[in-house]
Amino acid sequence: TSSLTSTQSRIRSSSAIFVATKKKTTTATSTNEVQQQKLQAAAPSSFDGVSYNVSLATTAESIPMGEPYTTKLAAVETTNTAADDDDNVDNNTNMEGLVWRGVILVLCGLWASNFSAAKLILAEPGVDSSLYAVARFGVAALALLPAGLKRRGTVSPETLTKSVQCGAWVAFGYLGQTLGLLTTTASKSCVICSLHCVFVAALSELWRVQKFKGNSNGEGTNYDTQRLLPALVAVAGVAVIELQGAGGAPTIGDGLSLAQPIGFGMGYLTLEQIMEDSPEAALPVSAIKLSVVAAASLIMFEVLPH
């Protein structure tokens, strides 16, 4: 009887241990399932078109309690971090665009002050127009020379040739401006210079038509005069503001000032081609351009009588 009682006690103890173990295992499994279901609802399957495989098939028997949730949560956090980085890049790009638009706005103000400043300087007694041009562009070239030399490795022979050509066109425009301001007003010179908007638009459209002439279906081969309309409106607006109906009689300086739209316009078009091929050579190209303009000004100073 004693042995039977002892055996029955051991059986009841084993049953209790088995029930407790089964309950604990069931509870752990249920907890893991709840955690996985929560993660499945929170975890996106893709970000910006890139799919992420977040597997929740791990069972409680193969991984200890809490590890599946932690592992999958790390995957979700990595995905969210990637999305946040993309947003930061977009914000930085937008901010950079606004900064450069502000820089262009400042450049417009400096460009507009160019005519009045040059007219005031040339009106001073004893100031020679060619010597003024040498000093002006010589100082500008020296300012950019260190940066140009530092990045000289980015300038190929072809880029160097085009930069010299660009500088020659710009020199043609600036020398026409300098000489023209001797006998014309700053307002008229500004209006004449603004014609480069029309010149660039007209020549760009002509080049576009020539480029597409080889198109088999004939599309894009017609010269679109409507492309010139915005430029014409811009020049008309400048004329209204600057001249105010008092342009005066034509002078020889007006004719010389016509070098501006041609020289500056060709300079813009040539510079566009250079930057398309070698955008990393911006500083050396600018230094070369200014050096060419300074050299042309020196030649004019030596050739013209004083």
Side-chain angles (χ1 to χ4, degrees):
T1 305
S2 176
S3 298
L4 180 61
T5 303
S6 176
T7 301
Q8 291 176 345
S9 297
R10 286 198 297 270
I11 291 175
R12 285 196 294 270
S13 298
S14 299
S15 300
I17 293 172
F18 175 77
V19 171
T21 303
K22 182 178 180 181
K23 184 181 296 184
K24 181 178 180 181
T25 303
T26 304
T27 303
T29 304
S30 301
T31 303
N32 273 325
E33 289 176 352
V34 171
Q35 291 175 339
Q36 291 172 0
Q37 291 174 359
K38 290 181 179 179
L39 180 63
Q40 183 68 53
S45 60
S46 64
F47 271 109
D48 296 333
V50 180
S51 298
Y52 296 85
N53 184 15
V54 183
S55 175
L56 298 178
T58 306
T59 62
E61 288 80 8
S62 61
I63 295 181
M65 174 65 179
E67 185 172 340
Y69 182 78
T70 304
T71 303
K72 304 315 173 186
L73 183 59
V76 175
E77 289 177 350
T78 302
T79 303
N80 291 335
T81 301
D84 292 340
D85 290 342
D86 291 341
D87 292 339
N88 291 335
V89 170
D90 292 339
N91 292 334
N92 292 336
T93 301
N94 294 335
M95 182 59 64
E96 184 178 358
L98 292 176
V99 170
W100 283 113
R101 285 181 174 87
V103 171
I104 293 175
L105 183 61
V106 173
L107 290 177
C108 290
L110 294 175
W111 179 269
S113 66
N114 163 62
F115 302 96
S116 300
K119 184 66 177 179
L120 290 174
I121 294 173
L122 294 175
E124 292 293 324
V127 176
D128 185 86
S129 61
S130 55
L131 183 59
Y132 159 68
V134 173
R136 174 184 181 182
F137 296 106
V139 170
L142 289 175
L144 282 179
L145 187 59
L149 291 176
K150 185 177 180 180
R151 301 190 180 184
R152 61 184 181 276
T154 60
V155 180
S156 63
E158 183 181 0
T159 302
L160 177 61
T161 302
K162 289 184 177 181
S163 300
V164 173
Q165 294 175 354
C166 182
W169 281 115
V170 175
F172 178 69
Y174 271 119
L175 295 181
Q177 178 192 103
T178 303
L179 295 175
L181 283 170
L182 295 174
T183 55
T184 190
T185 64
S187 297
K188 290 173 67 176
S189 178
C190 179
V191 173
I192 294 172
C193 178
S194 66
L195 290 173
H196 74 270
C197 298
V198 180
F199 180 84
V200 170
L203 194 57
S204 297
E205 179 63 12
L206 179 62
W207 288 358
R208 185 192 67 81
V209 171
Q210 292 176 347
K211 180 180 179 180
F212 286 96
K213 272 188 176 181
N215 196 336
S216 58
N217 57 16
E219 293 182 0
T221 58
N222 295 327
Y223 193 95
D224 188 3
T225 56
Q226 292 184 355
R227 292 175 179 262
L228 305 182
L229 183 60
L232 291 173
V233 172
V235 172
V238 173
V240 170
I241 295 172
E242 293 290 338
L243 299 181
Q244 298 180 2
T251 64
I252 186 63
D254 297 339
L256 293 173
S257 297
L258 287 173
Q260 296 179 93
I262 299 173
F264 296 153
M266 289 301 301
Y268 291 143
L269 294 171
T270 306
L271 183 61
E272 181 184 19
Q273 295 175 352
I274 296 173
M275 289 296 98
E276 286 180 354
D277 299 333
S278 306
E280 70 282 355
L283 284 176
V285 167
S286 299
I288 294 170
K289 283 170 50 186
L290 289 171
S291 300
V292 171
V293 177
S297 303
L298 181 60
I299 294 173
M300 184 181 70
F301 174 73
E302 296 294 338
V303 171
L304 293 180
H306 306 292

